[in-house]
Structure formats: structure tokens, C-alpha cells
Amino acid sequence: MSIKKISRRKILQASSLAAAAGLISACNSGGSPDKPAESAKIIKKKIEWKMVTTWPKNFPGLGTGAQRIADNITSMSDGRLAVKLFAAGELVPAFECFDAVRENKAQMFHASPYYWINKNKSMPFFGGVPGGVTAQEHNAWVNYAGGQKLWDEMYAQFGLKPFMAGNSGTQMGGWFLKEINSIEDFKGLKMRIPGLAAEVLNRMGGTAVALPGGEIMPALQSGAIDATEWVGPWNDLAFGFHKITKFYYGPGFHEPSSALECSSNLKAFNELDNDLKSIIKNACEAENTRMISEFTAANIDAQEKLVKEHGVIIRNFPKDVFSLMMSLSKEVVSETAIEGKLNKEIYESWSTFKEKARQRSAFNEHGYTNLSNNA
Ligand code: CA
């Protein structure tokens, strides 16, 4: 063996050892053999996000659901994307969440899309519209019938990326200081009611008031408003509306599905690694299912408690009142289509889906409920 050959072999051995050492080092630090130093640096990078919400701190279902999303993103990413939640007013007031995330003061918010109706008249289609679809149908439209694409397009205009992230199901119509016997009872009625339903109430002769959850109770107590909707038995019991009035009407015409969103700053979202983007998407999907399960179970018990322990009177709206609510809802919802090209696309996609879905639901799911209850 020549000197030349020996030294070449030694060099090869030495470089293999060095490469192996590099691989071990990369594996230990979680990197890749290709770019150990660079990968190790990326893996170690921890990102901290702030999530603002429109809900009071730890509010059942809504606030706790938002907290679950924050905790799930943090744990599923093993702390690489740590999300800290701020309740309404802790970092920004409830109705400033949308702008705070646009401006990247926070990177994520949990809210209902209909709160942003002043930004665009079609926002409520992603949260819930009067005379609309049910929660399950709403999920179907967003996930499998074009809704998400339209929502992405709408939110991209504001620098945001939206995901559905919870649903409280069909909401109750609300609490009224006085009994509702006819359409006349809505004349001059001041009611807290959000989204497109506010316009329906105005056309019924009432005056709609926009208030975040935390401000409703004092307004009803002081008589500043005559009526309020909020969510349903579980959440309404938590606020204590039954201490002020016993007249509780339902189901509501205004939110047959009340979907919630967890939306991110689009630039911040796009800068994330693909696995973190997927974690956000899946944490939102998980909460979308979990929250409605929780609401369904908790509303059953809360409704019984309201009636049996607190003497609450639960009624349907009179038939002519509900019919008027439905016809005005149709009018108000269809008017969003004239606002612009995207508004028209959203309305047409949603209304086409709704008409088709209604035929099947009436026969199948609601048909089953009616038939089985009367069997
Ligand atoms: Ca509501």
C-alpha cells in the first residue's frame, strides 16, 4: 500500500466519522442530516402568539372553548407555537379584536364573524344569519360546498385567515321584559341583537342595540334595553337573565346556527411552518365539534333548571310574529347580494346550498324528530 493510498483512506475514514458525528449531532438537536445547523436553529425557534377574544374571561363554552384552542395549539406543537389567551377587555375591548389582529397587535382572535358586519355586510354568512341554516348544514356549506373559499377571499382583503372554531347550535330567541303577544309588541322595543338580525328587528319597528356579552346584564337591569338575545339556556343561566324576567322565547329566528371563528393574521399565519399551520387548522376543527357537543349536553340540563328551579316561562314566538321574522329575514339577507361581486357570490352560494339542504333536512333529520316524537 502506497503512502498516497493510505493517506487517502485515512482522509475518507476521517470524513465519514465527521459526517457521522454531524448526523448524530443533528439527530440529537432534532435537525436534518442535510442542513444540521440550520434545521436545529429552526426547530428550536419558539413562537409566541396572543389570542384576543370577544368573550368574558372563562365564560362557559365560548371563553373556555377559545382557551381549549389556545392550549391545544400550544401542546400539539410542544410549545413551538405558544398561544396566550386574553379575554374581552384584557388586551383590547371585545369589538376591537378584528382590527387588533389585522394590525398584528395580537395574532389570533376568537369571536363570531357577524360582529364584523360594519366591515362588510356579508360577514354574518360565516357566523349565522337570520332565517339561515342549522349548525350541521352550516359546517357542510363552509367545509364542502364552497363556503371556506369565499370566506378566505373575504378575509384576505383584511389580511386575515379564518377557520370555523365552535358553534353554540340553534340559539334561543331571547329574554323579554314583557310578554310577546303580537307584532305590535315589537314597536319601539329596544333589543340587544347582533348581525343582520338587527336590521330585521328594526324593520319590525324595534331598535336593535349592539352590546358585547359582558355589558348586556347591566343594560337589561337598568331598563336601557327591553329585551336581549344572548345564546341559549346554558350561557343565559350563567349571566342570570332569569333574575330580571321570566319571559324566555325560542327558538330564535336570528341564529339557527351560531358559528364561531378563530382567525389569524394572514402574514403571521403564512410565515409559520406547514406543521404549525396544520396544527392551527386541526385545533380549530376539533373545537368546532367539541363545542357544539358541550352546548347540546349543557343546554338540556340548563333548560330544565331554568324552568323547574327558577320558574322561567319558555314559549315559542306567536306564529304571525315568527312568520314576519322569517319573511323580513329573507329580505334583509338577500339585500347583501347588491353590495358587490363577492357579496353576490357569497349570497348565491349560500342560498343555493340552503334551499337544497332544507329539502333533505325536512325529510330526514327534522322529519325523524317530528315522526319519532309523535310515534
Ligand atoms: Ca346570540
Side-chain angles (χ1 to χ4, degrees):
M1 200 176 281
S2 71
I3 294 167
K4 216 175 182 180
K5 272 185 183 167
I6 290 167
S7 52
R8 189 162 181 266
R9 194 169 64 195
K10 277 192 173 171
I11 290 164
L12 281 171
Q13 278 173 346
S15 59
S16 308
L17 280 170
L23 183 62
I24 291 161
S25 147
C27 289
N28 285 343
S29 59
S32 80
D34 296 329
K35 293 179 180 174
E38 199 180 316
S39 298
K41 209 166 91 190
I42 291 167
I43 297 296
K44 279 179 187 166
K45 194 173 151 195
K46 303 229 177 197
I47 302 165
E48 286 180 5
W49 272 22
K50 295 185 182 92
M51 181 201 278
V52 287
T53 75
T54 51
W55 322 120
K57 199 166 183 65
N58 294 324
F59 196 73
L62 308 172
T64 52
Q67 185 68 60
R68 277 193 297 254
I69 297 173
D71 293 345
N72 281 334
I73 294 170
T74 306
S75 64
M76 285 197 274
S77 67
D78 198 22
R80 278 170 58 221
L81 179 55
V83 181
K84 186 165 190 260
L85 183 138
F86 296 85
E90 284 189 327
L91 195 65
V92 293
F95 291 160
E96 285 176 28
C97 289
F98 189 91
D99 285 332
V101 173
R102 282 178 76 188
E103 292 159 11
N104 210 27
K105 286 179 193 162
Q107 289 67 44
M108 192 173 240
F109 67 86
H110 192 264
S112 173
Y114 58 59
Y115 285 146
W116 323 123
I117 190 168
N118 291 337
K119 305 282 183 193
N120 190 301
K121 271 264 172 75
S122 298
M123 293 292 193
F125 285 96
F126 307 107
V129 297
V133 292
T134 61
Q136 194 51 43
E137 291 164 347
H138 203 181
N139 285 335
W141 176 62
V142 170
N143 290 314
Y144 287 97
Q148 183 72 50
K149 189 173 166 283
L150 294 163
W151 196 8
D152 284 344
E153 198 177 331
M154 164 79 80
Y155 268 38
Q157 295 174 359
F158 297 94
L160 297 168
K161 166 68 189 169
F163 286 114
M164 273 186 140
N167 200 311
S168 52
T170 303
Q171 295 208 348
M172 283 293 281
W175 299 82
F176 293 76
L177 294 181
K178 289 182 186 154
E179 207 174 342
I180 295 294
N181 293 312
S182 73
I183 295 160
E184 284 301 305
D185 293 322
F186 279 83
K187 302 268 187 291
L189 186 98
K190 265 185 153 178
M191 180 174 184
R192 183 270 178 190
I193 189 164
L196 289 167
E199 182 55 26
V200 175
L201 185 88
N202 291 342
R203 290 186 195 185
M204 289 177 79
T207 305
V209 179
L211 286 175
E215 294 174 27
I216 305 172
M217 191 64 180
L220 196 64
Q221 232 155 3
S222 70
I225 53 173
D226 308 306
T228 185
E229 72 79 52
W230 173 226
V231 181
W234 185 35
N235 280 177
D236 293 9
L237 176 68
F239 266 162
F241 298 130
H242 59 276
K243 293 174 195 158
I244 302 174
T245 179
K246 302 295 176 198
F247 297 117
Y248 194 24
Y249 286 84
F253 73 100
H254 62 300
E255 286 177 87
S257 163
S258 186
L260 306 169
E261 64 181 318
C262 180
S263 297
S264 304
N265 178 288
L266 183 60
K267 189 169 174 285
F269 182 82
N270 284 339
E271 283 168 358
L272 294 174
D273 290 342
N274 285 337
D275 61 339
L276 294 181
K277 286 180 190 159
S278 178
I279 283 170
I280 291 177
K281 181 175 183 285
N282 282 285
C284 292
E285 280 187 10
E287 188 55 39
N288 206 43
T289 306
R290 176 162 293 279
M291 193 186 286
I292 195 162
S293 316
E294 190 178 25
F295 266 98
T296 302
N299 275 334
I300 294 168
D301 293 338
Q303 181 157 325
E304 195 179 293
K305 205 169 178 181
L306 283 170
V307 174
K308 290 191 179 162
E309 293 177 25
H310 300 291
V312 168
I313 302 155
I314 295 184
R315 286 190 193 148
N316 289 134
F317 287 111
K319 214 171 172 201
D320 58 338
V321 169
F322 200 78
S323 295
L324 181 67
M325 286 166 165
M326 284 290 125
S327 61
L328 289 175
S329 295
K330 205 169 178 182
E331 194 178 286
V332 168
V333 170
S334 68
E335 283 168 14
T336 60
I338 59 169
E339 298 276 323
K341 189 175 164 281
L342 184 57
N343 304 77
K344 188 168 182 280
E345 277 181 55
I346 291 170
Y347 174 71
E348 284 175 357
S349 166
W350 177 89
S351 56
T352 305
F353 177 81
K354 183 194 151 202
E355 290 316 314
K356 286 198 290 186
R358 272 296 149 88
Q359 290 177 30
R360 172 153 168 79
S361 310
F363 175 78
N364 202 54
E365 199 160 357
H366 307 307
Y368 168 76
T369 306
N370 289 335
L371 287 169
S372 63
N373 283 350
N374 295 314

